[in-house]
Amino acid sequence: MISYASALQHILQACQPLPPVQLPLAQALGRVLAQDVRADADLPPFDNSAMDGFALASAGTTLVAGHEFAVAGSQAAGDGLAAYSGEACEIMTGASLPDGLDCVVPVEQVSVLQRDKDGCPLQIRLDAEVSPGAHVRRRGQDVAVGDPIASAGIRLTPALHMLLSSLGVATLMVRPQVPAALFTTGRELVDDPSQPLLPGQIRNSNGPYLADRLDEAGARVVHRETVGDDAQAFIAALERGLAAGARVVLSTGAVSMGRHDFVPDALRSLHATILFHKVAIRPGKPLLFARLPGGQLYFGLPGNPVSSAVGMRFFVEPALRALLGQAPEQPLLLPLAAESRKKPGLRFFLKAYVALGDGARLQVEVMSGQESFRIKPLLAANAWVVLDADADMLPAGTLVPVFGLDGRGILLTNGEDTVGHRP
Ligand code: AMP
Ligand code: MG
């Protein structure tokens, strides 16, 4: 049995970033960038008006209320650059600021004294003062040419998509999604929800969960299958997964000490290199990691639902991050809301709830219902707390590492739930 730290080292050593691919920006949402991005344009690209109103020349001093201006011309969004000899120009939001004019008074803050026959303003009077630069959005005020925008390893979010679109980025180098195969083992498992359960059968819950989590974590499930407790059937299924192009293989169940736990022997018969089997953790101790002869990585996760969730979160996800060129995830250190006790020897991964405590400071509560067969407490959790193998009694207030329930961070609000209130 090895420590979690050495297990992680084995995993990281086995995972090199996949070669990047070029994608149109519109297809890259959620992908991990394989390049840094710097701005090659200014944003806004030209000085323009933030309001509908009149562009004026301040000559560096505040224009006072009562001041009158003759209006020469009009500038709307989409009009090209214009030079104005007049002292005021009607202007619309987003229109480029005419040369020589440097501030804008909103239409609500002027009186129009005279209009032409078409209703266009000819003469205005200020009803409020206007300072130099007022209501002007300066070229480069948001982003200047050369500004760093994003670095390799981050995911393309809608906000980054918006910024890159406004900069005119057409394509991006990103990491390909990691092709994955997922096998759930156990002759007790039933996949079809319309099929009634016979005595001794249960429904497959790990399969749907892990498929969702793989997808969220940057993998693409290319093959998924449920197999009974039969090594030959398993080997045949594994070959189908590898033929589908899987680079990473996950299985659940059949990896511990029971008589039907065929995965380790089946892998040996295929000449896989078992890099570790059994880690000093709870839940999920029997976890196995191997390299298949074709170079694919194999994670044998235990069958209990929460053990498989911990295997995914703390073994498979670090591997996926490395394959996607991402740095290892760093936990938040948060104080325990209450004393926590455990037997020393194993590192514990516990379902936890991060919320605001006294003095509106974040704290983490270890939840009840930690048994690895219990799925429902996962719904109420928003985090995992990690208690060191050596730890036994941890007083309230001890700083402990906390990871989000999934790789997207710790969600403090959830739909109608509000910060600090357990759903
Ligand atoms: P095993 O690791 O195969 O000994 O399985 C441990 C426990 O997890 C047993 O109670 C199994 O019935 C259960 N189990 C295994 N696979 C699944 C699955 N895909 N969905 C739900 N429970 C499972
Ligand atoms: Mg089993």
Side-chain angles (χ1 to χ4, degrees):
M1 188 157 74
I2 63 171
S3 70
Y4 176 71
S6 352
L8 199 57
Q9 240 174 7
H10 278 290
I11 290 172
L12 296 180
Q13 261 165 24
C15 295
Q16 301 309 315
L18 300 180
V21 293
Q22 190 172 41
L23 273 193
L25 180 63
Q27 291 170 24
L29 183 68
R31 295 302 195 89
V32 175
L33 271 60
Q35 61 165 100
D36 296 338
V37 182
R38 279 184 184 275
D40 63 0
D42 286 324
L43 285 180
F46 48 84
D47 293 352
N48 68 90
S49 178
M51 301 292 280
D52 295 326
F54 296 87
L56 307 170
S58 73
T61 55
T62 297
L63 303 169
V64 295
H67 214 104
E68 289 190 15
F69 296 90
V71 180
S74 180
Q75 185 79 345
D79 287 346
L81 295 180
Y84 274 84
S85 48
E87 45 186 10
C89 172
E90 187 184 27
I91 195 161
M92 309 306 163
T93 304
S96 76
L97 204 69
D99 255 1
L101 306 184
D102 73 332
C103 56
V104 170
V105 58
V107 66
E108 299 85 348
Q109 293 175 12
V110 300
S111 301
V112 178
L113 304 177
Q114 198 188 339
R115 295 181 185 272
D116 69 8
K117 59 180 184 351
D118 301 321
C120 298
L122 289 176
Q123 186 76 18
I124 57 168
R125 186 180 59 224
L126 299 187
D127 295 335
E129 64 174 36
V130 187
S131 44
H135 304 299
V136 172
R137 310 192 282 211
R138 290 271 160 228
R139 172 179 182 160
Q141 187 182 342
D142 189 10
V143 173
V145 171
D147 277 357
I149 299 297
S151 30
I154 71 162
R155 272 175 190 262
L156 186 77
T157 58
L160 180 56
H161 192 181
M162 188 185 211
L163 185 55
L164 296 180
S165 298
S166 64
L167 287 166
V169 171
T171 62
L172 272 180
M173 296 305 289
V174 299
R175 300 289 168 189
Q177 290 160 315
V178 181
L182 173 56
F183 299 98
T184 37
T185 74
R187 57 194 279 274
E188 71 276 32
L189 300 181
V190 173
D191 276 316
D192 178 0
S194 70
Q195 191 181 318
L197 294 180
L198 299 175
Q201 291 186 325
I202 58 166
R203 303 204 184 272
N204 178 4
S205 57
N206 297 347
Y209 175 79
L210 292 172
D212 290 352
R213 294 289 297 109
L214 283 166
D215 193 64
E216 276 181 0
R220 184 168 52 89
V221 179
V222 294
H223 186 83
R224 185 171 150 189
E225 208 170 318
T226 297
V227 289
D229 294 316
D230 167 357
Q232 286 317 309
F234 166 73
I235 289 171
L238 180 56
E239 273 157 11
R240 287 188 282 276
L242 298 179
R247 301 281 296 261
V248 167
V249 179
L250 273 65
S251 66
T252 71
V255 79
S256 52
M257 293 286 104
R259 235 170 8 91
H260 299 289
D261 292 338
F262 57 85
V263 165
D265 282 344
L267 291 176
R268 277 186 209 101
S269 79
L270 292 172
H271 307 291
T273 311
I274 297 187
L275 295 164
F276 60 80
H277 183 193
K278 287 204 188 64
V279 188
I281 59 167
R282 176 175 294 166
K285 188 164 69 177
L287 202 141
L288 174 153
F289 178 56
R291 189 187 296 106
L292 299 177
Q296 304 90 342
L297 302 176
Y298 189 101
F299 292 89
L301 312 182
N304 275 307
V306 179
S307 308
S308 78
V310 165
M312 174 69 207
R313 184 69 182 95
F314 293 100
F315 293 80
V316 180
E317 281 192 74
L320 294 176
R321 289 183 68 94
L323 292 167
L324 295 169
Q326 297 182 289
E329 198 178 330
Q330 295 303 321
L332 274 182
L333 289 180
L334 292 178
L336 281 173
E339 173 188 298
S340 189
R341 286 172 187 274
K342 68 181 261 298
K343 274 207 302 220
L346 301 178
R347 172 178 287 227
F348 278 40
F349 296 94
L350 300 170
K351 285 162 276 190
Y353 193 70
V354 173
L356 296 177
D358 291 343
R361 287 180 46 190
L362 284 177
Q363 60 178 24
V364 61
E365 180 191 336
V366 175
M367 302 174 69
S368 56
Q370 294 289 343
E371 299 91 335
S372 62
F373 71 93
R374 295 184 66 173
I375 300 171
K376 195 168 156 234
L378 268 181
L379 275 191
N382 62 359
W384 294 101
V385 72
V386 182
L387 303 183
D388 229 32
D390 300 340
D392 47 8
M393 203 282 284
L394 298 158
T398 308
L399 291 179
V400 289
V402 178
F403 290 84
L405 197 63
D406 58 34
R408 304 273 163 106
I410 298 166
L411 203 63
L412 289 180
T413 63
N414 183 1
E416 292 176 5
D417 173 34
T418 52
V419 176
H421 292 273
R422 178 176 294 207

PDB file of all heavy atoms in Angstrom, residues 251-280:
ATOM      1  N   SER A 251     -12.376   1.614 -14.848  1.00  0.00           N
ATOM      2  CA  SER A 251     -13.349   0.577 -14.529  1.00  0.00           C
ATOM      3  C   SER A 251     -13.770   0.793 -13.092  1.00  0.00           C
ATOM      4  O   SER A 251     -13.055   1.419 -12.308  1.00  0.00           O
ATOM      5  CB  SER A 251     -12.741  -0.817 -14.708  1.00  0.00           C
ATOM      6  OG  SER A 251     -11.719  -1.037 -13.765  1.00  0.00           O
ATOM      7  N   THR A 252     -14.963   0.323 -12.761  1.00  0.00           N
ATOM      8  CA  THR A 252     -15.350   0.326 -11.350  1.00  0.00           C
ATOM      9  C   THR A 252     -15.658  -1.106 -10.939  1.00  0.00           C
ATOM     10  O   THR A 252     -16.193  -1.890 -11.710  1.00  0.00           O
ATOM     11  CB  THR A 252     -16.578   1.220 -11.054  1.00  0.00           C
ATOM     12  OG1 THR A 252     -17.742   0.619 -11.603  1.00  0.00           O
ATOM     13  CG2 THR A 252     -16.407   2.610 -11.614  1.00  0.00           C
ATOM     14  N   GLY A 253     -15.264  -1.406  -9.717  1.00  0.00           N
ATOM     15  CA  GLY A 253     -15.544  -2.707  -9.122  1.00  0.00           C
ATOM     16  C   GLY A 253     -14.467  -3.735  -9.443  1.00  0.00           C
ATOM     17  O   GLY A 253     -13.567  -3.498 -10.255  1.00  0.00           O
ATOM     18  N   ALA A 254     -14.552  -4.868  -8.739  1.00  0.00           N
ATOM     19  CA  ALA A 254     -13.717  -6.047  -9.006  1.00  0.00           C
ATOM     20  C   ALA A 254     -12.226  -5.770  -8.887  1.00  0.00           C
ATOM     21  O   ALA A 254     -11.415  -6.356  -9.605  1.00  0.00           O
ATOM     22  CB  ALA A 254     -14.037  -6.621 -10.390  1.00  0.00           C
ATOM     23  N   VAL A 255     -11.863  -4.866  -7.981  1.00  0.00           N
ATOM     24  CA  VAL A 255     -10.452  -4.499  -7.895  1.00  0.00           C
ATOM     25  C   VAL A 255      -9.896  -4.759  -6.494  1.00  0.00           C
ATOM     26  O   VAL A 255      -8.726  -4.525  -6.238  1.00  0.00           O
ATOM     27  CB  VAL A 255     -10.279  -3.022  -8.360  1.00  0.00           C
ATOM     28  CG1 VAL A 255     -10.673  -2.048  -7.269  1.00  0.00           C
ATOM     29  CG2 VAL A 255      -8.896  -2.756  -8.877  1.00  0.00           C
ATOM     30  N   SER A 256     -10.745  -5.297  -5.595  1.00  0.00           N
ATOM     31  CA  SER A 256     -10.192  -5.527  -4.245  1.00  0.00           C
ATOM     32  C   SER A 256      -9.890  -7.007  -4.030  1.00  0.00           C
ATOM     33  O   SER A 256      -9.423  -7.673  -4.941  1.00  0.00           O
ATOM     34  CB  SER A 256     -11.089  -4.900  -3.179  1.00  0.00           C
ATOM     35  OG  SER A 256     -12.408  -5.311  -3.322  1.00  0.00           O
ATOM     36  N   MET A 257     -10.177  -7.524  -2.858  1.00  0.00           N
ATOM     37  CA  MET A 257      -9.638  -8.829  -2.459  1.00  0.00           C
ATOM     38  C   MET A 257     -10.626  -9.978  -2.613  1.00  0.00           C
ATOM     39  O   MET A 257     -10.298 -11.125  -2.328  1.00  0.00           O
ATOM     40  CB  MET A 257      -9.199  -8.755  -0.976  1.00  0.00           C
ATOM     41  CG  MET A 257      -8.022  -7.850  -0.723  1.00  0.00           C
ATOM     42  SD  MET A 257      -6.502  -8.609  -1.303  1.00  0.00           S
ATOM     43  CE  MET A 257      -6.196  -7.709  -2.801  1.00  0.00           C
ATOM     44  N   GLY A 258     -11.856  -9.674  -3.060  1.00  0.00           N
ATOM     45  CA  GLY A 258     -12.874 -10.721  -3.135  1.00  0.00           C
ATOM     46  C   GLY A 258     -12.514 -11.763  -4.197  1.00  0.00           C
ATOM     47  O   GLY A 258     -11.676 -11.539  -5.065  1.00  0.00           O
ATOM     48  N   ARG A 259     -13.183 -12.904  -4.098  1.00  0.00           N
ATOM     49  CA  ARG A 259     -12.898 -13.995  -5.027  1.00  0.00           C
ATOM     50  C   ARG A 259     -13.273 -13.614  -6.467  1.00  0.00           C
ATOM     51  O   ARG A 259     -12.757 -14.175  -7.414  1.00  0.00           O
ATOM     52  CB  ARG A 259     -13.675 -15.231  -4.592  1.00  0.00           C
ATOM     53  CG  ARG A 259     -12.769 -16.400  -4.404  1.00  0.00           C
ATOM     54  CD  ARG A 259     -13.405 -17.622  -3.738  1.00  0.00           C
ATOM     55  NE  ARG A 259     -14.831 -17.625  -3.501  1.00  0.00           N
ATOM     56  CZ  ARG A 259     -15.736 -18.109  -4.371  1.00  0.00           C
ATOM     57  NH1 ARG A 259     -15.363 -18.616  -5.515  1.00  0.00           N
ATOM     58  NH2 ARG A 259     -17.013 -18.101  -4.056  1.00  0.00           N
ATOM     59  N   HIS A 260     -14.227 -12.660  -6.611  1.00  0.00           N
ATOM     60  CA  HIS A 260     -14.666 -12.274  -7.954  1.00  0.00           C
ATOM     61  C   HIS A 260     -13.953 -11.022  -8.450  1.00  0.00           C
ATOM     62  O   HIS A 260     -14.345 -10.444  -9.451  1.00  0.00           O
ATOM     63  CB  HIS A 260     -16.180 -12.072  -7.961  1.00  0.00           C
ATOM     64  CG  HIS A 260     -16.923 -13.316  -7.585  1.00  0.00           C
ATOM     65  ND1 HIS A 260     -17.002 -14.410  -8.419  1.00  0.00           N
ATOM     66  CD2 HIS A 260     -17.567 -13.662  -6.440  1.00  0.00           C
ATOM     67  CE1 HIS A 260     -17.678 -15.363  -7.827  1.00  0.00           C
ATOM     68  NE2 HIS A 260     -18.023 -14.948  -6.615  1.00  0.00           N
ATOM     69  N   ASP A 261     -12.953 -10.583  -7.736  1.00  0.00           N
ATOM     70  CA  ASP A 261     -12.261  -9.342  -8.102  1.00  0.00           C
ATOM     71  C   ASP A 261     -11.147  -9.665  -9.099  1.00  0.00           C
ATOM     72  O   ASP A 261      -9.992  -9.852  -8.740  1.00  0.00           O
ATOM     73  CB  ASP A 261     -11.757  -8.628  -6.840  1.00  0.00           C
ATOM     74  CG  ASP A 261     -12.936  -8.101  -6.018  1.00  0.00           C
ATOM     75  OD1 ASP A 261     -14.031  -7.926  -6.613  1.00  0.00           O
ATOM     76  OD2 ASP A 261     -12.785  -7.900  -4.809  1.00  0.00           O
ATOM     77  N   PHE A 262     -11.562  -9.714 -10.356  1.00  0.00           N
ATOM     78  CA  PHE A 262     -10.721 -10.269 -11.420  1.00  0.00           C
ATOM     79  C   PHE A 262      -9.848  -9.236 -12.117  1.00  0.00           C
ATOM     80  O   PHE A 262      -9.003  -9.601 -12.927  1.00  0.00           O
ATOM     81  CB  PHE A 262     -11.629 -10.934 -12.469  1.00  0.00           C
ATOM     82  CG  PHE A 262     -12.639  -9.975 -13.026  1.00  0.00           C
ATOM     83  CD1 PHE A 262     -12.313  -9.136 -14.079  1.00  0.00           C
ATOM     84  CD2 PHE A 262     -13.911  -9.878 -12.474  1.00  0.00           C
ATOM     85  CE1 PHE A 262     -13.233  -8.235 -14.578  1.00  0.00           C
ATOM     86  CE2 PHE A 262     -14.833  -8.965 -12.964  1.00  0.00           C
ATOM     87  CZ  PHE A 262     -14.488  -8.144 -14.011  1.00  0.00           C
ATOM     88  N   VAL A 263     -10.056  -7.938 -11.840  1.00  0.00           N
ATOM     89  CA  VAL A 263      -9.380  -6.915 -12.656  1.00  0.00           C
ATOM     90  C   VAL A 263      -7.845  -7.019 -12.590  1.00  0.00           C
ATOM     91  O   VAL A 263      -7.196  -7.048 -13.647  1.00  0.00           O
ATOM     92  CB  VAL A 263      -9.887  -5.493 -12.304  1.00  0.00           C
ATOM     93  CG1 VAL A 263      -8.967  -4.418 -12.851  1.00  0.00           C
ATOM     94  CG2 VAL A 263     -11.297  -5.296 -12.842  1.00  0.00           C
ATOM     95  N   PRO A 264      -7.233  -7.106 -11.385  1.00  0.00           N
ATOM     96  CA  PRO A 264      -5.754  -7.145 -11.364  1.00  0.00           C
ATOM     97  C   PRO A 264      -5.189  -8.315 -12.181  1.00  0.00           C
ATOM     98  O   PRO A 264      -4.268  -8.106 -12.986  1.00  0.00           O
ATOM     99  CB  PRO A 264      -5.418  -7.285  -9.879  1.00  0.00           C
ATOM    100  CG  PRO A 264      -6.623  -6.733  -9.163  1.00  0.00           C
ATOM    101  CD  PRO A 264      -7.794  -7.042 -10.009  1.00  0.00           C
ATOM    102  N   ASP A 265      -5.754  -9.508 -12.012  1.00  0.00           N
ATOM    103  CA  ASP A 265      -5.230 -10.671 -12.766  1.00  0.00           C
ATOM    104  C   ASP A 265      -5.480 -10.518 -14.257  1.00  0.00           C
ATOM    105  O   ASP A 265      -4.623 -10.870 -15.078  1.00  0.00           O
ATOM    106  CB  ASP A 265      -5.867 -11.963 -12.250  1.00  0.00           C
ATOM    107  CG  ASP A 265      -5.231 -12.404 -10.936  1.00  0.00           C
ATOM    108  OD1 ASP A 265      -4.126 -11.892 -10.614  1.00  0.00           O
ATOM    109  OD2 ASP A 265      -5.849 -13.227 -10.222  1.00  0.00           O
ATOM    110  N   ALA A 266      -6.642 -10.011 -14.617  1.00  0.00           N
ATOM    111  CA  ALA A 266      -6.933  -9.829 -16.047  1.00  0.00           C
ATOM    112  C   ALA A 266      -5.911  -8.871 -16.662  1.00  0.00           C
ATOM    113  O   ALA A 266      -5.413  -9.095 -17.774  1.00  0.00           O
ATOM    114  CB  ALA A 266      -8.350  -9.294 -16.224  1.00  0.00           C
ATOM    115  N   LEU A 267      -5.578  -7.803 -15.924  1.00  0.00           N
ATOM    116  CA  LEU A 267      -4.602  -6.836 -16.465  1.00  0.00           C
ATOM    117  C   LEU A 267      -3.232  -7.496 -16.594  1.00  0.00           C
ATOM    118  O   LEU A 267      -2.528  -7.294 -17.592  1.00  0.00           O
ATOM    119  CB  LEU A 267      -4.521  -5.598 -15.577  1.00  0.00           C
ATOM    120  CG  LEU A 267      -5.775  -4.708 -15.593  1.00  0.00           C
ATOM    121  CD1 LEU A 267      -5.627  -3.569 -14.603  1.00  0.00           C
ATOM    122  CD2 LEU A 267      -6.039  -4.162 -16.995  1.00  0.00           C
ATOM    123  N   ARG A 268      -2.858  -8.293 -15.594  1.00  0.00           N
ATOM    124  CA  ARG A 268      -1.561  -8.987 -15.679  1.00  0.00           C
ATOM    125  C   ARG A 268      -1.528  -9.912 -16.884  1.00  0.00           C
ATOM    126  O   ARG A 268      -0.534  -9.977 -17.601  1.00  0.00           O
ATOM    127  CB  ARG A 268      -1.291  -9.778 -14.399  1.00  0.00           C
ATOM    128  CG  ARG A 268      -0.718  -8.893 -13.304  1.00  0.00           C
ATOM    129  CD  ARG A 268      -0.297  -9.689 -12.068  1.00  0.00           C
ATOM    130  NE  ARG A 268      -0.426  -8.818 -10.907  1.00  0.00           N
ATOM    131  CZ  ARG A 268      -1.436  -8.858 -10.045  1.00  0.00           C
ATOM    132  NH1 ARG A 268      -2.399  -9.765 -10.157  1.00  0.00           N
ATOM    133  NH2 ARG A 268      -1.478  -8.002  -9.052  1.00  0.00           N
ATOM    134  N   SER A 269      -2.644 -10.595 -17.122  1.00  0.00           N
ATOM    135  CA  SER A 269      -2.662 -11.535 -18.263  1.00  0.00           C
ATOM    136  C   SER A 269      -2.528 -10.778 -19.583  1.00  0.00           C
ATOM    137  O   SER A 269      -2.127 -11.350 -20.586  1.00  0.00           O
ATOM    138  CB  SER A 269      -3.931 -12.378 -18.241  1.00  0.00           C
ATOM    139  OG  SER A 269      -5.021 -11.627 -18.752  1.00  0.00           O
ATOM    140  N   LEU A 270      -2.862  -9.499 -19.575  1.00  0.00           N
ATOM    141  CA  LEU A 270      -2.707  -8.677 -20.798  1.00  0.00           C
ATOM    142  C   LEU A 270      -1.330  -8.009 -20.854  1.00  0.00           C
ATOM    143  O   LEU A 270      -1.085  -7.177 -21.711  1.00  0.00           O
ATOM    144  CB  LEU A 270      -3.785  -7.591 -20.825  1.00  0.00           C
ATOM    145  CG  LEU A 270      -5.221  -8.062 -21.007  1.00  0.00           C
ATOM    146  CD1 LEU A 270      -6.186  -6.900 -20.809  1.00  0.00           C
ATOM    147  CD2 LEU A 270      -5.396  -8.681 -22.393  1.00  0.00           C
ATOM    148  N   HIS A 271      -0.456  -8.324 -19.891  1.00  0.00           N
ATOM    149  CA  HIS A 271       0.889  -7.745 -19.796  1.00  0.00           C
ATOM    150  C   HIS A 271       0.862  -6.251 -19.506  1.00  0.00           C
ATOM    151  O   HIS A 271       1.739  -5.504 -19.962  1.00  0.00           O
ATOM    152  CB  HIS A 271       1.725  -8.035 -21.055  1.00  0.00           C
ATOM    153  CG  HIS A 271       1.755  -9.503 -21.377  1.00  0.00           C
ATOM    154  ND1 HIS A 271       2.418 -10.414 -20.589  1.00  0.00           N
ATOM    155  CD2 HIS A 271       1.166 -10.198 -22.378  1.00  0.00           C
ATOM    156  CE1 HIS A 271       2.231 -11.628 -21.092  1.00  0.00           C
ATOM    157  NE2 HIS A 271       1.479 -11.534 -22.187  1.00  0.00           N
ATOM    158  N   ALA A 272      -0.145  -5.806 -18.773  1.00  0.00           N
ATOM    159  CA  ALA A 272      -0.152  -4.420 -18.308  1.00  0.00           C
ATOM    160  C   ALA A 272       0.882  -4.271 -17.191  1.00  0.00           C
ATOM    161  O   ALA A 272       1.186  -5.241 -16.494  1.00  0.00           O
ATOM    162  CB  ALA A 272      -1.539  -4.076 -17.779  1.00  0.00           C
ATOM    163  N   THR A 273       1.420  -3.058 -17.049  1.00  0.00           N
ATOM    164  CA  THR A 273       2.312  -2.774 -15.923  1.00  0.00           C
ATOM    165  C   THR A 273       1.472  -2.155 -14.817  1.00  0.00           C
ATOM    166  O   THR A 273       0.928  -1.058 -14.986  1.00  0.00           O
ATOM    167  CB  THR A 273       3.403  -1.760 -16.342  1.00  0.00           C
ATOM    168  OG1 THR A 273       3.965  -2.220 -17.557  1.00  0.00           O
ATOM    169  CG2 THR A 273       4.450  -1.592 -15.273  1.00  0.00           C
ATOM    170  N   ILE A 274       1.352  -2.842 -13.704  1.00  0.00           N
ATOM    171  CA  ILE A 274       0.576  -2.277 -12.587  1.00  0.00           C
ATOM    172  C   ILE A 274       1.488  -1.338 -11.813  1.00  0.00           C
ATOM    173  O   ILE A 274       2.495  -1.754 -11.245  1.00  0.00           O
ATOM    174  CB  ILE A 274      -0.009  -3.405 -11.721  1.00  0.00           C
ATOM    175  CG1 ILE A 274      -0.976  -4.203 -12.623  1.00  0.00           C
ATOM    176  CG2 ILE A 274      -0.715  -2.843 -10.493  1.00  0.00           C
ATOM    177  CD1 ILE A 274      -1.786  -5.260 -11.966  1.00  0.00           C
ATOM    178  N   LEU A 275       1.174  -0.051 -11.849  1.00  0.00           N
ATOM    179  CA  LEU A 275       2.043   0.966 -11.232  1.00  0.00           C
ATOM    180  C   LEU A 275       1.750   1.111  -9.747  1.00  0.00           C
ATOM    181  O   LEU A 275       2.649   1.409  -8.976  1.00  0.00           O
ATOM    182  CB  LEU A 275       1.902   2.297 -11.969  1.00  0.00           C
ATOM    183  CG  LEU A 275       2.411   2.213 -13.423  1.00  0.00           C
ATOM    184  CD1 LEU A 275       1.929   3.384 -14.261  1.00  0.00           C
ATOM    185  CD2 LEU A 275       3.932   2.139 -13.451  1.00  0.00           C
ATOM    186  N   PHE A 276       0.516   0.945  -9.369  1.00  0.00           N
ATOM    187  CA  PHE A 276       0.213   0.759  -7.948  1.00  0.00           C
ATOM    188  C   PHE A 276      -1.145   0.087  -7.807  1.00  0.00           C
ATOM    189  O   PHE A 276      -2.003   0.155  -8.703  1.00  0.00           O
ATOM    190  CB  PHE A 276       0.288   2.055  -7.122  1.00  0.00           C
ATOM    191  CG  PHE A 276      -0.644   3.161  -7.535  1.00  0.00           C
ATOM    192  CD1 PHE A 276      -1.979   3.156  -7.170  1.00  0.00           C
ATOM    193  CD2 PHE A 276      -0.170   4.251  -8.260  1.00  0.00           C
ATOM    194  CE1 PHE A 276      -2.829   4.185  -7.526  1.00  0.00           C
ATOM    195  CE2 PHE A 276      -1.010   5.292  -8.627  1.00  0.00           C
ATOM    196  CZ  PHE A 276      -2.346   5.263  -8.263  1.00  0.00           C
ATOM    197  N   HIS A 277      -1.315  -0.605  -6.686  1.00  0.00           N
ATOM    198  CA  HIS A 277      -2.585  -1.239  -6.348  1.00  0.00           C
ATOM    199  C   HIS A 277      -2.701  -1.147  -4.836  1.00  0.00           C
ATOM    200  O   HIS A 277      -1.874  -1.712  -4.135  1.00  0.00           O
ATOM    201  CB  HIS A 277      -2.578  -2.706  -6.818  1.00  0.00           C
ATOM    202  CG  HIS A 277      -3.893  -3.406  -6.576  1.00  0.00           C
ATOM    203  ND1 HIS A 277      -4.044  -4.755  -6.661  1.00  0.00           N
ATOM    204  CD2 HIS A 277      -5.123  -2.922  -6.261  1.00  0.00           C
ATOM    205  CE1 HIS A 277      -5.301  -5.088  -6.404  1.00  0.00           C
ATOM    206  NE2 HIS A 277      -5.980  -3.991  -6.156  1.00  0.00           N
ATOM    207  N   LYS A 278      -3.683  -0.373  -4.380  1.00  0.00           N
ATOM    208  CA  LYS A 278      -3.924  -0.097  -2.958  1.00  0.00           C
ATOM    209  C   LYS A 278      -3.176   1.170  -2.538  1.00  0.00           C
ATOM    210  O   LYS A 278      -1.963   1.252  -2.635  1.00  0.00           O
ATOM    211  CB  LYS A 278      -3.475  -1.234  -2.037  1.00  0.00           C
ATOM    212  CG  LYS A 278      -4.372  -2.428  -2.096  1.00  0.00           C
ATOM    213  CD  LYS A 278      -4.224  -3.225  -0.786  1.00  0.00           C
ATOM    214  CE  LYS A 278      -4.975  -4.524  -0.919  1.00  0.00           C
ATOM    215  NZ  LYS A 278      -4.384  -5.381  -1.963  1.00  0.00           N
ATOM    216  N   VAL A 279      -3.959   2.097  -2.067  1.00  0.00           N
ATOM    217  CA  VAL A 279      -3.446   3.392  -1.624  1.00  0.00           C
ATOM    218  C   VAL A 279      -3.970   3.640  -0.214  1.00  0.00           C
ATOM    219  O   VAL A 279      -5.113   3.256   0.090  1.00  0.00           O
ATOM    220  CB  VAL A 279      -3.909   4.521  -2.582  1.00  0.00           C
ATOM    221  CG1 VAL A 279      -3.224   5.821  -2.254  1.00  0.00           C
ATOM    222  CG2 VAL A 279      -3.653   4.142  -4.036  1.00  0.00           C
ATOM    223  N   ALA A 280      -3.179   4.286   0.611  1.00  0.00           N
ATOM    224  CA  ALA A 280      -3.566   4.519   2.010  1.00  0.00           C
ATOM    225  C   ALA A 280      -4.577   5.660   2.103  1.00  0.00           C
ATOM    226  O   ALA A 280      -4.285   6.754   2.603  1.00  0.00           O
ATOM    227  CB  ALA A 280      -2.325   4.827   2.849  1.00  0.00           C
TER     228      ALA A 280
END
